[in-house]
Amino acid sequence: MYKTHLTSHHISISPSLLTQNQITYYNTPQKFIYIYIYIYIQSWKLKTNKQTKMGSLKGGTRPPWVGLGAAVWVQIAAGNAYNFPLYSHSLKSVMGFNQRQLTMLGVANDVGENMGLLPGLVCNKFPPWVVLFVGAFACFFGYGLLWLALTHTLLSLPYWLLWFALCIATNSSAWFSTAVLVTNMRNFPLSRGTVAGILKGYGGLSAAVYTEIYSVLLNDSSPKLLLFLTLGIPTLCVVMMSLVRPCTPASGDDSSEHNHFLFIQAASVVLGVYVLTTTILDDVLYLSAPVAYSFLLVMVLLLMAPLAIPVKMTFYPSDRSKSALTQDNGNGEKTEPLLEPSSSEVNLERFHESESLSEVDMLLAEGEGAIKKKRRPRRGEDFSFSEALVKADFWLLFLVYFIGVGSGVTVLNNLAQIGIAQYMHDTKVLLSLFSFCNFAGRLGGGVVSEYLVRSKAIPRTIWMTITQVIMVITYLLFTSALSGTLFAATSLLGICYGFQFSIMVPTASELFGLKNFGMIFNFMSLGNPLGAYLFSGLLAGFLYDNEAAKQHSSTCLGPTCFRLTFLVLAGVCGIGAMLSIVLTMRIRPVYKMLYGGGSFRLPQSSNP
């Protein structure tokens, strides 16, 4: 007897390759019986698993929407890194740091926020609640140490330890975002751009939410803010752990799904406008405590709006849900549909079954001549992380994203100092304005790119090109330091910065699949801290301190403080726009393949 060794890592099989002659040639009694018994067992297992999976969580029912509603709160928690401008000035004055030391703390803020390779790996091995728990612990430990230092509870903490503590604290953002983004992208695989836009939009809006809490609840106190981050955020994430979980993907043919997404998007816009308005009112007018707390309560209610969808589905189930429940009642036997399944339902079925089918195919094809070397995945199919690393499109997308968010985060990290340099000492309004526009860019990027990619199969990256051209103009506007341009430049930059996030996330999943999306997305996210280190830590901080030294002060005033920095950032974004054009031209055929029929088609090899 001989043995044939088969591994899924080295081969792929097609049952059609096993011809009748090959079956006869290898028709030893043991092998013949073994193959067909195994095929029968695997087919039975596949049928049982499918019925169990589809029976427990029907596509388009409440569980995915409950998880999306909970994910909104976790995304707000994941925006804790945006609070750095609110307490950075206190750190600088209390700890006696210069601007370069402060900007390097800003780099730690961004490194921690975007160091997500480990969360990306863990999310493929463990359920989402484990990822959220690790993030909650990192938040508690890191911000707790910063609070102890700022309140002088612990004296003489070395600079490197504070840098490390801030890195750990903001790394919680990577764990939170990875858990909810990967889970919900898999729960809604046919609406990736919309889901990414919603979740990233709420993440961008989180800075304005924290600013409201900082002003009303914490009385503009940096120590109280750090204590809130130490205790409040972990508590929130522990509460939401059980709600964020994988579910059977909702079908794209459910007409109510589109309306549900529209409701969440509208609720987020209302929340964004509301928070920005109340922040400005609080800055301009004196609000009594009852009024301020009323504003805060309304904000919390608006944050709960996405949970209205599963509540509505509970009390007013759709006809589709009722029919699904009817089919499950009785003797538990599967009822055949009266009509043939739609193309999207077939794709969803493939989405779940392809992995199990490949095992059956491998045994069907045992024998010489039925084995062929596994081909490398094509763009649009599932890539392993190592396979994606050798693709030119991967590195082009990384460079374009690195330039867009790396230059934008430089302004965000130095926003307080930019405002002070232009004689604006209360920078809460600037931060809230940037946050709202960042949110608008993230949400708008998801909505606009989703519409154009479905209607005209235009690659999403065209919007990275357009926004980086606008960023060139914006940095030149910052350079001019003309009266009244600070708010306009901050708004434009926030929108463009938000677009980069909402475009990169679905683009990475469409080019390289969802199977290893956590690792691929988090590697792309490293462009943020890399840009912060190069443009903020090495460039902006160095030039600011030089200008401050010329003024014989630790605080620089006037347009010269950041002028050269903004000119460099404008030139870098010009290069980014050109790289984005190259990427868009390269991946156009991929989008023609995925969206040529007017709706997203899952490749056969896609696995969750």
Side-chain angles (χ1 to χ4, degrees):
M1 294 295 292
Y2 62 90
K3 295 181 179 179
T4 303
H5 298 280
L6 301 174
T7 62
S8 60
H9 296 290
H10 300 292
I11 62 171
S12 62
I13 318 298
S14 174
S16 62
L17 292 175
L18 194 62
T19 63
Q20 185 62 43
N21 290 336
Q22 290 167 338
I23 291 176
T24 304
Y25 185 80
Y26 294 106
N27 193 17
T28 61
Q30 296 92 337
K31 179 175 282 294
F32 186 84
I33 294 171
Y34 169 72
I35 290 177
Y36 280 91
I37 288 178
Y38 194 91
I39 292 171
Y40 177 81
I41 292 173
Q42 290 296 322
S43 300
W44 177 81
K45 285 171 63 181
L46 179 62
K47 182 178 179 181
T48 302
N49 291 339
K50 179 182 173 185
Q51 289 177 347
T52 301
K53 186 185 298 181
M54 298 303 290
S56 60
L57 291 175
K58 288 288 180 184
T61 53
R62 289 187 305 275
W65 296 100
V66 172
L68 186 60
V72 164
W73 284 80
V74 178
Q75 271 298 122
I76 294 293
N80 61 75
Y82 290 115
N83 287 297
F84 184 70
L86 293 178
Y87 60 84
S88 62
H89 197 65
S90 295
L91 277 178
K92 182 177 181 180
S93 58
V94 172
M95 307 302 292
F97 296 146
N98 59 33
Q99 185 62 23
R100 191 170 186 185
Q101 286 176 310
L102 189 65
T103 54
M104 289 308 295
L105 282 177
V107 171
N109 186 80
D110 296 313
V111 167
E113 181 188 8
N114 296 281
M115 191 62 69
L117 291 179
L118 184 57
L121 182 63
V122 170
C123 75
N124 274 357
K125 306 291 184 182
F126 297 95
W129 73 264
V130 174
V131 185
L132 290 175
F133 181 80
V134 175
F137 177 78
C139 193
F140 173 79
F141 175 79
Y143 283 118
L145 197 56
L146 287 173
W147 175 76
L148 292 173
L150 193 61
T151 57
H152 291 299
T153 305
L154 290 179
L155 300 176
S156 303
L157 287 179
Y159 177 83
W160 67 266
L161 183 58
L162 290 176
W163 195 96
F164 182 73
L166 184 55
C167 193
I168 292 294
T170 56
N171 190 237
S172 63
S173 300
W175 292 88
F176 296 152
S177 292
T178 298
V180 298
L181 192 60
V182 172
T183 301
N184 282 280
M185 292 275 281
R186 290 173 177 173
N187 288 350
F188 298 95
L190 303 183
S191 303
R192 304 181 191 188
T194 303
V195 171
I198 288 172
L199 291 180
K200 282 297 180 182
Y202 273 101
L205 192 59
S206 60
V209 172
Y210 282 119
T211 302
E212 185 84 359
I213 295 172
Y214 177 73
S215 299
V216 175
L217 195 63
L218 306 176
N219 300 317
D220 295 344
S221 170
S222 295
K224 287 182 180 179
L225 175 62
L226 289 174
L227 185 61
F228 174 79
L229 296 175
T230 302
L231 300 178
I233 300 305
T235 301
L236 172 65
C237 290
V238 168
V239 171
M240 295 296 170
M241 270 182 194
S242 61
L243 302 180
V244 180
R245 58 195 177 106
C247 302
T248 300
S251 170
D253 287 339
D254 186 356
S255 60
S256 63
E257 180 177 295
H258 178 65
N259 295 330
H260 292 161
F261 281 133
L262 282 178
F263 172 78
I264 297 177
Q265 289 164 346
S268 65
V269 171
V270 171
L271 174 65
V273 173
Y274 175 81
V275 172
L276 179 63
T277 303
T278 54
T279 302
I280 294 173
L281 286 176
D282 183 55
D283 187 69
V284 175
L285 305 174
Y286 173 77
L287 301 178
S288 63
V291 173
Y293 281 108
S294 299
F295 282 165
L296 191 64
L297 179 61
V298 172
M299 183 187 76
V300 172
L301 292 176
L302 288 173
L303 280 170
M304 296 176 66
L307 292 173
I309 292 173
V311 171
K312 174 254 181 186
M313 296 175 78
T314 301
F315 292 102
Y316 303 99
S318 64
D319 293 337
R320 178 176 177 162
S321 299
K322 291 177 182 177
S323 64
L325 290 172
T326 302
Q327 290 180 10
D328 283 343
N329 291 332
N331 57 8
E333 293 181 358
K334 184 178 179 181
T335 305
E336 293 296 328
L338 297 177
L339 299 175
E340 290 295 319
S342 66
S343 60
S344 64
E345 289 170 335
V346 172
N347 283 329
L348 281 172
E349 221 172 283
R350 272 198 209 111
F351 188 78
H352 288 292
E353 294 178 8
S354 57
E355 186 173 0
S356 299
L357 286 174
S358 65
E359 296 176 2
V360 178
D361 291 345
M362 285 166 59
L363 285 178
L364 268 172
E366 244 184 73
E368 292 180 5
I371 300 172
K372 61 179 181 180
K373 291 184 178 179
K374 181 181 178 181
R375 65 170 176 83
R376 293 181 177 179
R378 299 187 181 97
R379 292 177 300 181
E381 299 176 348
D382 285 325
F383 281 70
S384 68
F385 182 60
S386 59
E387 288 170 336
L389 281 176
V390 299
K391 304 300 290 184
D393 294 336
F394 180 92
W395 291 105
L396 277 171
L397 181 60
F398 177 83
L399 287 174
V400 172
Y401 180 74
F402 151 71
I403 290 172
V405 299
S407 61
V409 80
T410 300
V411 176
L412 179 61
N413 286 349
N414 294 277
L415 195 58
Q417 287 70 40
I418 291 171
I420 291 171
Q422 298 195 29
Y423 307 100
M424 176 181 287
H425 293 280
D426 187 358
T427 57
K428 285 187 302 182
V429 175
L430 269 184
L431 180 60
S432 186
L433 182 63
F434 183 92
S435 174
F436 174 76
C437 293
N438 182 19
F439 151 75
R442 294 185 185 208
L443 184 65
V447 172
V448 174
S449 69
E450 190 76 9
Y451 171 76
L452 288 178
V453 81
R454 288 179 179 273
S455 61
K456 302 183 183 299
I458 297 176
R460 299 181 195 271
T461 50
I462 190 67
W463 290 102
M464 298 182 91
T465 307
I466 293 171
T467 51
Q468 292 207 20
V469 171
I470 297 174
M471 288 173 82
V472 173
I473 300 170
T474 303
Y475 290 131
L476 295 177
L477 199 59
F478 271 116
T479 303
S480 69
L482 296 174
S483 177
T485 59
L486 181 59
F487 289 108
T490 301
S491 302
L492 280 174
L493 184 64
I495 292 172
C496 296
Y497 181 72
F499 256 84
Q500 305 299 312
F501 281 93
S502 64
I503 298 300
M504 182 277 286
V505 174
T507 301
S509 75
E510 287 160 344
L511 292 180
F512 306 111
L514 282 172
K515 187 173 183 179
N516 296 289
F517 172 69
M519 286 285 289
I520 292 170
F521 152 70
N522 279 300
F523 185 90
M524 292 285 176
S525 297
L526 292 177
N528 195 310
L530 181 61
Y533 174 72
L534 293 177
F535 302 137
S536 182
L538 297 184
L539 179 67
F542 175 77
L543 294 176
Y544 181 94
D545 283 338
N546 280 351
E547 291 297 328
K550 293 177 183 178
Q551 298 178 11
H552 306 287
S553 172
S554 60
T555 301
C556 182
L557 296 174
T560 59
C561 300
F562 290 97
R563 176 167 289 164
L564 184 55
T565 299
F566 288 135
L567 289 174
V568 172
L569 295 181
V572 168
C573 280
I575 297 173
M578 290 187 286
L579 291 175
S580 183
I581 292 173
V582 174
L583 175 62
T584 301
M585 297 302 294
R586 284 178 56 89
I587 64 177
R588 240 182 124 182
V590 182
Y591 280 84
K592 291 288 185 185
M593 175 191 71
L594 293 176
Y595 292 96
S599 61
F600 182 74
R601 295 195 298 270
L602 285 168
Q604 289 189 17
S605 62
S606 292
N607 289 316

